[in-house]
């Protein structure tokens, strides 16, 4: 029992050290994105720096821990994404933010933009679908059968599924949350698709 407590303490201490070491001192920087080649409906993956991001990466050996969908509004590029712990009002929701905020160094260490289809009308419709979900709650139950709340991959998956495209190609991972089993979609389930 004492061995288990020591291991638990070491694991917790490691997470705290990792989380603290990811904070930038003083300056905030961003990963630069060439916006001349992006368009509505493109997906933007990021490898996050938070403890939650590290857990997603560790759980599935993913390259990326988060995904959002790109949309142009008022001649500026934004990302719509479902994320816990990143809103101004401390509510976990689907939000919209500038690409530079989405990629700020306190949230991101690597990123990649991914085009699902060459069909502009499907991509635009997917982005517009995501726009209608801004303000919806974050799905902390990770239940893809419930469309009243969303987690990141669920949001982008639903946006394209609404247009008739299953961007996960049926890939699911079984996880247990509070004793309940759920089939979830990880970011790499979409990203790894050719």
């Amino acid at each position: 029992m004492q061995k288990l407590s020591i291991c638990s303490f070491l694991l917790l201490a490691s997470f705290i050290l990792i989380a603290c070491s990811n904070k930038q001192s003083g300056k905030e920087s961003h990963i630069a994105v060439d916006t001349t080649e992006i368009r509505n409906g493109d997906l933007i993956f990021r490898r996050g720096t938070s403890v939650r991001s590290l857990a997603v990466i560790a759980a599935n050996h993913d390259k990326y821990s988060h995904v959002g969908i790109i949309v142009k509004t008022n001649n500026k590029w934004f990302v719509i994404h479902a994320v816990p712990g990143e809103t101004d009002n401390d509510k976990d929701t689907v939000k919209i933010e500038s690409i530079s905020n989405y990629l700020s160094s306190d949230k991101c260490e690597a990123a990649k933009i991914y085009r699902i289809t060459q069909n502009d009308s499907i991509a635009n419709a997917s982005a517009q679908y995501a726009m209608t979900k801004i303000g919806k709650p974050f799905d902390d139950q990770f239940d893809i059968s419930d469309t009243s709340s969303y987690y990141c991959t669920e949001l982008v998956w639903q946006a394209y599924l609404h247009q008739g495209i299953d961007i996960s190609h049926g890939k699911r991972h079984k996880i247990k949350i509070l004793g309940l089993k759920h089939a979830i979609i990880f970011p790499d389930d979409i990203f790894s698709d050719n």
Side-chain angles (χ1 to χ4, degrees), residues 121-138:
S121 64
I122 289 174
N124 281 326
S126 298
Q128 291 308 308
Y129 177 89
M131 290 278 289
T132 67
K133 304 307 174 191
I134 295 170
K136 294 283 187 184
F138 180 81

Side-chain angles (χ1 to χ4, degrees), residues 138-167:
F138 180 81
D139 183 1
D140 56 7
Q141 296 298 309
F142 298 91
D143 182 0
I144 59 174
S145 66
D146 174 13
T147 58
S148 65
S149 59
Y150 299 88
Y151 62 93
C152 68
T153 49
E154 177 184 13
L155 174 68
V156 298
W157 173 71
Q158 283 282 349
Y160 273 93
L161 191 65
H162 197 259
Q163 310 314 313
I165 299 173
D166 180 359
I167 60 175

Side-chain angles (χ1 to χ4, degrees), residues 39-185:
R39 64 145 199 220
N40 278 337
D42 284 350
L43 301 185
I44 185 165
F45 291 83
R46 77 177 180 200
R47 184 178 179 95
T49 59
S50 72
V51 172
R52 287 181 181 134
S53 295
L54 296 173
V56 169
I57 292 164
N60 195 43
H61 309 293
D62 284 355
K63 294 175 193 163
Y64 299 99
S65 57
H66 191 63
V67 63
I69 191 165
I70 295 174
V71 64
K72 192 171 195 176
T73 302
N74 297 327
N75 276 340
K76 294 182 182 170
W77 290 106
F78 293 90
V79 179
I80 301 168
H81 59 120
V83 64
E86 287 187 17
T87 55
D88 296 332
N89 60 6
D90 290 330
K91 291 188 178 185
D92 298 338
T93 65
V94 174
K95 66 184 272 187
I96 185 169
E97 68 180 326
S98 68
I99 289 180
S100 61
N101 283 345
Y102 179 84
L103 298 176
S104 67
S105 62
D106 65 328
K107 300 175 192 171
C108 178
E109 61 182 33
K112 185 153 186 126
I113 295 175
Y114 192 73
R115 181 151 298 156
I116 297 297
T117 178
Q118 297 302 321
N119 185 316
D120 286 344
S121 64
I122 289 174
N124 281 326
S126 298
Q128 291 308 308
Y129 177 89
M131 290 278 289
T132 67
K133 304 307 174 191
I134 295 170
K136 294 283 187 184
F138 180 81
D139 183 1
D140 56 7
Q141 296 298 309
F142 298 91
D143 182 0
I144 59 174
S145 66
D146 174 13
T147 58
S148 65
S149 59
Y150 299 88
Y151 62 93
C152 68
T153 49
E154 177 184 13
L155 174 68
V156 298
W157 173 71
Q158 283 282 349
Y160 273 93
L161 191 65
H162 197 259
Q163 310 314 313
I165 299 173
D166 180 359
I167 60 175
S168 75
H169 298 281
K171 296 176 193 166
R172 303 289 183 272
H173 289 83
K174 303 279 187 199
I175 63 164
K176 264 188 170 179
I177 301 174
L178 302 172
L180 299 172
K181 286 186 180 179
H182 290 284
I184 69 164
I185 305 167

